[in-house]
Amino acid sequence: MRYRFCLATAALALAACASAQSPQPAAETGVAHPELWPEYEYPVPEPAEARIADLVRRMTIEEKIGQLVQADLCCVTADEVRTYNLGSVLNGGNSGPGGDDLAPAAKWLEAADAFYAASVDTSDGGVGIPVIWGTDAVHGHSNIIGATIFPHNIGLGAMQDPALIERIGAATATEIRVTGQEWTFAPTVTVPQDFRWGRAYEGYSSDPALVASYVGAMVRGLQGPPDGQNILARGKVIASTKHFLADGGTHNGVDQGDAQISEEVLRDIHGVPYGPAIEEGVATVMASFSSWQGVKMTGNQSLLTGVLKDRMDFGGFVVSDWNAHGQVEGCTNESCPQALLAGIDMYMAPDTWKPIYEDLLKRAKAGEIPQSRIDDAVTRILRVKMRLGLFEAGKPSSRPLSGQWDQLGSPEHRALAREAVRSSLVLLKNQGVLPLKPGGRLLVAGDGADDIARQSGGWTLTWQGSGVDNSHFPGATSLWTGLRDAVSAAGGTAQLSPDGSFAQRPDAAVVIFGEKPYAEFQGDRASLQLDPELAAPYETMRRLKEQGIPVVAVMITGRPLYVNPGLNAADAFVVAWLPGSEGAGVADVLIGGPDGAPNFDFRGKLPTAWPRTANMADGALFPFGYGLTYASPRTAWTALPEVAGASAGDSRTFLAAGAPASSWSLHIADPGAPGSQTRLTTFPAEALDGRARITAEDAAVQEGARRFRIAGGAAAVTLGTFEPIDISRETNGDVMLLVTLKMTDAPDRAAIAMRSGGETAAAAEVQIPQGTEFVRYGLALKCLRDKGIDMTKVSMPFVLATEGATDFALTEVRLGTDAQVVLPCR
Ligand code: BGC
Ligand code: BGC
């Protein structure tokens, strides 16, 4: 209590005023005209209509509302599925059975059985509609340890091969069925137009025609043909095309942002892939978090009902995205009849399912929601469940493929993924060094060379793809092991050396570099520049080349980036995208046969244009569809200009290497003494009337930390800005405030707080143990929101309040998910 009071005072003393927020969209924008959109025909027969109508007649209003709600594994028990007759459960990127995201495969099937048994229990007199479980199997069954991880969609787009896509869909369906789920939130059919968007790699291409050519094949691979009522009996699952609509068309590529585009562009770029999805009978469509012309898609009736259901004849059901209803105008996470009225049939209400259920029920009983809309939504969900064959399927573990663990990461599926990796590689430069001769001595350098999590990207085992290492990928192959095996099979030798140093001079070097895993909004960037801390391998390439060693650069990336320094430094340059678990596919193409001839040729073509600078507006260096082969005529390389790109500007790092990011400032104050604040710019510094001494101290880099020695009493160290920031989206996800510090001498009490708007500050009490190392602590943003911070206008994302003598060093403050130690919310 005392902390809260102190901090509120401190926050007031340090007041930074909030500026006016953005203007509201004008009326009538964001309204689509269905008659301008193409018509399709949903091909799925409906032989069970009478049976469905009978069920709907017998269901109570409680049972009906329950079907419209989907809860996340984080926050629901099997008992609750029974009590509330929930229509569906999901595992979000960071949840798994029993609270364990990394639970072994058998636990997932066990949990599926438990949810199923609860859902069909009719002892309370209900009709007992079986539940369905949705999961983000977005590149293989990618939440499951041991599953085959296929290349992310951007790499598949480079293959230009719909037939291979259908086989990948089929293999993914098989692996999903092994662990008992019925539904994947895939394929993502976004048509990204701005690759600064952190989800661009989830899309196949920026070209609508290429995306459209894949969608039908993927849906068929996952679901089987749209002809019957037996998806489960055939070993298939239902698919979900997402995110409807224009998730890839937002202004500046901001995740969950606003597509400020005309209806024609909306239709002709972003709408195109939904045609083949509907013609293939896709069972579900997920509405986008984003807005069109300022109106949130999740509340847009003209698009969800007018265009998608009525005009395009989509006959499945529409699911909303993770608490996306809470962003609809006039809604909260706990209440949003607007979404149902707009055309959402099922609410993805991960941790808010109970209030959503209660609110819908109350409004339904009060007659505020037309019965016809409720019945239509229930009917749509039941049709999909009938089509699955769910009512006859029995418990998940009794169904075809269930528990066949050897199907997870089976040799056939891995071979398919390896084929996809081979087909997705795009060759941008080859000055005669590829293919590599297998008999010699190969050096493999770069920090990404032996890192399966890194080559798999986000949405792999964990949401952001962080916090996992090679031990979590049994049976998988890193790019390094693939190269090593290929070379040694041919009698050569290979050496792994991340920094490129060597004892014995190699005949050639492969330098593997590129992006680190990210997913939603964590991957958004201000420019198409490789994060500066990932650029060190350029130096390795130059050094090797200076010594006359032929260099092949292999880039792991979810998007095209400005990489001219790498293109200039290396003799050959290969884009590997995010290849997933079968890294050997890279060696297949890079390493030639004993006679020096290639074993496999390059087939990949750029699925989008490659930028000339970090700003796409400066034009393309390589156009869409570009990609060399071994047969391409050799041309001389003209050095590319190496411009200093626009700054990467990571807006979610507030303090790095001890220094505040631009527009942020570091202060210390006495919470109880208004006006006691000192802005810390030069070191050493004294503050709090001599009670505090602040110095620069070494951390990862020289003087990379600020050390605070406080003699006693109350103190608050803060990071503030004059332009408050909106971190509500991050809060909605599992994002944390990450604080990296070394606690040499712990204070009597400590609290972490934020300040929002004009007056409030709220604190979570934390215990940071004494130690001699820097530790990255994480505190869930949700924790601070629940204490009353308005996450839409945070002017101080970090306040560390202490009481008593203390000595600590602070090196970094940012948002993220990769905490070493998660602090409980107190
Ligand atoms: C993402 C969806 C995903 C869902 C469930 C959302 O945040 O936008 O793509 O399917 O979470 O994890
Ligand atoms: C979940 C993801 C979800 C995201 C949405 C995370 O907590 O794990 O599945 O997509 O939140 O913001």
Side-chain angles (χ1 to χ4, degrees):
M1 278 334 274
R2 179 133 176 255
Y3 275 91
R4 195 161 299 181
F5 175 71
C6 284
L7 282 161
T9 322
L12 275 173
L14 306 176
C17 49
S19 56
Q21 290 303 297
S22 50
Q24 289 300 306
E28 273 317 290
T29 56
V31 178
H33 302 82
E35 69 281 6
L36 301 178
W37 291 66
E39 293 184 271
Y40 300 98
E41 204 173 323
Y42 197 61
V44 183
E46 292 174 358
E49 287 303 283
R51 191 171 164 201
I52 292 171
D54 175 59
L55 281 171
V56 173
R57 229 182 346 265
R58 282 158 47 212
M59 286 165 82
T60 62
I61 186 66
E62 286 80 2
E63 286 176 285
K64 289 179 182 176
I65 299 296
Q67 286 303 301
L68 311 186
V69 179
Q70 180 185 55
D72 187 83
L73 257 63
C74 65
C75 310
V76 72
T77 62
D79 263 343
E80 288 168 328
V81 167
R82 176 191 352 256
T83 309
Y84 293 88
N85 303 290
L86 297 182
S88 178
V89 295
L90 88 147
N91 67 286
N94 280 338
S95 30
D100 182 5
D101 194 17
L102 300 174
K107 293 280 176 210
W108 295 72
L109 184 54
E110 250 175 67
D113 271 356
F115 287 125
Y116 169 84
S119 68
V120 297
D121 180 351
T122 53
S123 58
D124 59 357
V127 295
I129 308 286
V131 70
I132 49 175
W133 178 340
T135 187
D136 291 293
V138 296
H139 59 146
H141 194 12
S142 43
N143 282 281
I144 304 293
I145 292 182
T148 309
I149 306 296
F150 289 92
H152 264 299
N153 285 351
I154 187 75
L156 301 185
M159 306 187 311
Q160 305 209 357
D161 187 347
L164 198 55
I165 290 291
E166 183 170 344
R167 289 162 64 206
I168 291 172
T172 304
T174 298
E175 296 206 14
I176 298 170
R177 290 295 307 281
V178 170
T179 56
Q181 291 70 41
E182 297 91 358
W183 181 10
T184 174
F185 302 129
T188 303
V189 301
T190 184
V191 192
Q193 299 299 297
D194 188 328
F195 281 76
R196 292 175 295 176
W197 185 36
R199 302 191 75 166
Y201 68 82
E202 296 183 53
Y204 297 117
S205 171
S206 57
D207 178 50
L210 176 52
V211 179
S213 76
Y214 274 19
V215 173
M218 190 50 135
V219 170
R220 180 171 283 249
L222 289 165
Q223 298 192 155
D227 59 356
Q229 306 288 309
N230 44 15
I231 291 179
L232 291 176
R234 285 175 171 164
K236 298 292 186 180
V237 297
I238 52 171
S240 187
T241 40
K242 70 185 185 185
H243 308 81
F244 187 86
L245 193 58
D247 50 350
T250 62
H251 186 58
N252 289 336
V254 169
D255 193 42
Q256 303 185 9
D258 183 23
Q260 302 167 3
I261 55 178
S262 69
E263 187 166 358
E264 285 65 36
V265 174
L266 186 69
R267 179 191 62 200
D268 298 341
I269 293 188
H270 304 281
V272 170
Y274 288 88
I278 289 167
E279 289 181 322
E280 199 54 53
V282 70
T284 73
V285 168
M286 188 185 292
S288 184
F289 264 121
S290 57
S291 307
W292 174 52
Q293 297 183 352
V295 178
K296 281 285 168 186
M297 280 302 317
T298 307
N300 194 320
Q301 185 177 28
S302 69
L303 283 163
L304 295 177
T305 301
V307 170
L308 181 64
K309 290 178 172 175
D310 294 345
R311 179 74 177 179
M312 293 186 167
D313 197 34
F314 169 60
F317 70 82
V318 180
V319 63
S320 54
D321 204 343
W322 187 275
N323 276 333
H325 56 264
Q327 300 183 15
V328 173
E329 213 190 323
C331 291
T332 63
N333 280 1
E334 290 73 29
S335 165
C336 190
Q338 290 93 323
L340 182 64
L341 294 172
I344 297 291
D345 300 303
M346 183 181 278
Y347 287 73
M348 187 187 288
D351 50 350
T352 51
W353 61 268
K354 205 183 283 184
I356 281 292
Y357 169 93
E358 274 157 4
D359 182 72
L360 285 173
L361 184 61
K362 189 186 76 196
R363 291 175 190 275
K365 285 184 170 164
E368 287 172 38
I369 305 172
Q371 189 63 42
S372 56
R373 177 72 271 266
I374 296 171
D375 285 351
D376 172 53
V378 174
T379 300
R380 283 172 174 272
I381 293 166
L382 293 186
R383 277 191 194 126
V384 167
K385 290 187 171 182
M386 287 288 171
R387 187 175 161 207
L388 272 163
L390 190 68
F391 292 81
E392 284 72 43
K395 62 179 178 178
S397 64
S398 71
R399 300 174 190 164
L401 295 169
S402 289
Q404 294 187 18
W405 311 119
D406 55 356
Q407 291 284 346
L408 280 178
S410 71
E412 292 73 24
H413 296 168
R414 290 190 188 278
L416 180 61
R418 182 166 169 176
E419 184 184 343
V421 174
R422 279 200 296 270
S423 306
S424 66
L425 303 177
V426 178
L427 181 64
L428 295 182
K429 175 182 183 183
N430 183 16
Q431 297 307 99
V433 291
L434 285 175
L436 295 166
K437 286 177 211 54
R441 192 176 293 129
L442 182 69
L443 182 79
V444 179
D447 52 357
D450 189 26
D451 190 340
I452 299 164
R454 177 132 172 216
Q455 72 196 37
S456 299
W459 298 107
T460 309
L461 302 186
T462 65
W463 179 36
Q464 297 285 332
S466 53
V468 284
D469 58 39
N470 285 358
S471 70
H472 295 99
F473 295 90
T477 307
S478 72
L479 301 191
W480 148 248
T481 44
L483 288 164
R484 180 199 62 197
D485 293 352
V487 166
S488 50
T493 57
Q495 187 200 343
L496 175 66
S497 167
D499 68 359
S501 58
F502 53 83
Q504 261 190 312
R505 184 188 165 84
D507 298 313
V510 174
V511 181
I512 298 172
F513 79 111
E515 291 192 310
K516 284 194 168 169
Y518 53 76
E520 293 169 82
F521 39 81
Q522 300 253 1
D524 285 7
R525 290 291 180 275
S527 79
L528 293 178
Q529 190 173 34
L530 184 65
D531 293 346
E533 72 270 21
L534 300 174
Y538 292 152
E539 210 31 65
T540 310
M541 295 175 201
R542 286 186 203 111
R543 223 175 40 237
L544 290 164
K545 196 168 166 178
E546 272 159 21
Q547 296 171 76
I549 298 164
V551 175
V552 179
V554 174
M555 184 179 188
I556 296 172
T557 187
R559 52 187 147 199
L561 294 172
Y562 162 74
V563 289
N564 289 8
L567 280 162
N568 283 335
D571 300 288
F573 194 105
V574 176
V575 184
W577 310 109
L578 299 167
S581 60
E582 305 316 304
V586 172
D588 287 345
V589 184
L590 263 53
I591 311 286
D595 52 354
N599 291 320
F600 295 93
D601 204 350
F602 284 92
R603 293 187 36 203
K605 304 288 173 208
L606 287 180
T608 188
W610 196 277
R612 181 176 297 283
T613 71
N615 182 354
M616 197 65 225
D618 292 335
L621 179 61
F622 302 111
F624 169 85
Y626 185 84
L628 302 171
T629 68
Y630 280 129
S632 304
R634 196 160 308 157
T635 49
W637 181 263
T638 318
L640 299 166
E642 297 189 16
V643 292
S647 108
D650 174 1
S651 59
R652 290 171 187 85
T653 297
F654 310 116
L655 181 91
S662 68
S663 88
W664 293 91
S665 46
L666 182 66
H667 288 100
I668 187 167
D670 178 345
S676 65
Q677 130 192 16
T678 303
R679 178 162 176 199
L680 301 169
T681 48
T682 50
F683 305 91
E686 292 229 333
L688 311 183
D689 293 329
R691 266 197 295 129
R693 184 173 163 76
I694 304 99
T695 52
E697 160 162 325
D698 292 350
V701 296
Q702 217 180 352
E703 304 214 331
R706 300 292 168 259
R707 181 168 180 179
F708 294 84
R709 266 167 286 204
I710 301 169
V717 174
T718 65
L719 276 164
T721 178
F722 282 97
E723 279 282 358
I725 54 165
D726 179 353
I727 51 173
S728 54
R729 296 175 306 147
E730 286 84 349
T731 310
N732 205 24
D734 266 350
V735 179
M736 291 180 272
L737 175 69
L738 299 175
V739 180
T740 308
L741 55 73
K742 178 169 72 180
M743 186 58 84
T744 306
D745 184 14
D748 299 338
R749 301 179 72 184
I752 289 179
M754 277 189 187
R755 176 166 180 278
S756 62
E759 299 112 47
T760 50
E765 231 178 290
V766 292
Q767 257 158 25
I768 300 176
Q770 240 151 258
T772 53
E773 301 290 332
F774 281 96
V775 178
R776 193 163 57 247
Y777 293 96
L779 181 66
L781 293 177
K782 281 188 185 127
C783 171
L784 292 158
R785 178 191 62 194
D786 294 347
K787 290 183 184 296
I789 297 293
D790 176 355
M791 292 296 184
T792 64
K793 32 176 152 358
V794 174
S795 52
M796 266 181 210
F798 172 72
V799 178
L800 178 64
T802 58
E803 264 190 21
T806 180
D807 178 356
F808 61 89
L810 189 63
T811 175
E812 189 187 59
V813 180
R814 63 178 166 90
L815 302 187
T817 54
D818 48 334
Q820 290 168 303
V821 176
V822 177
L823 298 168
C825 184
R826 277 198 267 253

